[in-house]
């Protein structure tokens, strides 16, 4: 639904260089404009360089949101870039903006 609304989705992951190929095998690669993986860029979250690589994929002038499951690696570091973040976790939330699942996160983003 977000993609149909003009949003661009990028995976940012601490994972192996083969992650894009794994996503093709799972049949989900087409849902993402790009895949930024630590195995290719040489930096892991929460290092700024991996987020800088991801931000180069953003639509100029458009809002950017990070959806993650780890507040320390996914959410807090993005504040330095002026990026909004949502912690998706079914357990007790530990970040100011949180959602129980991806549907709720998408609703938060769409209503922003």
């Amino acid at each position: 639904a977000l993609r149909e609304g003009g949003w661009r989705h990028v995976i940012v992951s601490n994972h192996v260089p083969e992650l894009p190929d794994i996503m093709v095998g799972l049949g989900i690669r087409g849902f993402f404009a790009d895949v930024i993986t630590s195995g290719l860029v040489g930096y892991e979250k929460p290092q700024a360089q991996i987020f800088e690589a991801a931000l180069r994929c953003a639509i100029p002038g458009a809002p950017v949101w990070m959806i993650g499951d780890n507040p320390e690696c996914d959410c807090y570091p993005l504040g330095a870039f002026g990026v909004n973040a949502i912690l998706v976790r079914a357990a007790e939330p530990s970040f100011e903006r949180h959602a129980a699942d991806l549907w709720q996160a998408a609703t938060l983003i769409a209503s922003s």
Side-chain angles (χ1 to χ4, degrees), residues 17 31 34-35 38 52 54 56 64 70-72 83 101:
F31 293 109
D34 212 336
V35 181
S38 59
E52 290 167 351
R56 287 192 287 274
V64 175
N70 182 316
E72 300 303 322
V83 171
D101 56 36

Side-chain angles (χ1 to χ4, degrees), residues 15-47:
H15 212 286
V16 296
E18 297 81 13
L19 181 58
D21 295 330
I22 293 169
M23 293 171 62
V24 168
L26 293 171
I28 62 170
R29 177 62 182 90
F31 293 109
F32 299 91
D34 212 336
V35 181
I36 306 299
T37 176
S38 59
L40 290 174
V41 299
Y43 299 97
E44 291 190 345
K45 298 181 293 180
Q47 293 174 298

Side-chain angles (χ1 to χ4, degrees), residues 5-95:
W7 289 87
R8 182 181 297 166
H9 296 58
V10 176
I11 293 278
V12 182
S13 180
N14 292 344
H15 212 286
V16 296
E18 297 81 13
L19 181 58
D21 295 330
I22 293 169
M23 293 171 62
V24 168
L26 293 171
I28 62 170
R29 177 62 182 90
F31 293 109
F32 299 91
D34 212 336
V35 181
I36 306 299
T37 176
S38 59
L40 290 174
V41 299
Y43 299 97
E44 291 190 345
K45 298 181 293 180
Q47 293 174 298
Q49 294 91 335
I50 194 167
F51 297 118
E52 290 167 351
L55 288 170
R56 287 192 287 274
C57 301
I59 299 168
V64 175
W65 287 83
M66 171 67 162
I67 300 172
D69 65 351
N70 182 316
E72 300 303 322
C73 291
D74 298 326
C75 298
Y76 289 119
L78 275 293
F81 296 99
V83 171
N84 297 300
I86 298 174
L87 178 68
V88 175
R89 185 180 281 178
E92 183 177 329
S94 57
F95 186 71

